[in-house]
Amino acid sequence: MISPMPNRRAILAFDPVAYRKRNLIERAFCSLKDWCAIATRYGKTARKFLAGICLVLVVTSWIS
């Protein structure tokens, strides 16, 4: 959950740890979209798609 506006009437609970984890996952999906084969899902079977995602995540973590 994104931190609420301070002028909101009902203040909702905000967990900064969960927000950091959510941000990490969103950035991982953003980096996956840079790879066209994963974004367009050329590997039609679930096994090939998962292998492609694992390969991209290993390469992107190795580069950065």
Side-chain angles (χ1 to χ4, degrees):
M1 179 178 156
I2 299 172
S3 62
M5 296 294 290
N7 60 353
R8 190 176 176 137
R9 288 184 186 177
I11 301 296
L12 301 173
F14 174 69
D15 184 12
V17 175
Y19 183 73
R20 261 186 254 124
K21 290 179 183 179
R22 177 180 172 261
N23 186 20
L24 180 69
I25 292 171
E26 283 186 7
R27 285 187 286 136
F29 274 105
C30 185
S31 69
L32 281 176
K33 289 180 182 178
D34 291 339
W35 295 72
C36 294
I38 299 300
T40 56
R41 195 167 180 211
Y42 288 145
K44 297 297 181 191
T45 63
R47 184 177 181 184
K48 288 182 183 178
F49 185 64
L50 180 62
I53 288 176
C54 291
L55 178 66
V56 170
L57 289 175
V58 166
V59 169
T60 55
S61 67
W62 178 62
I63 289 174
S64 59

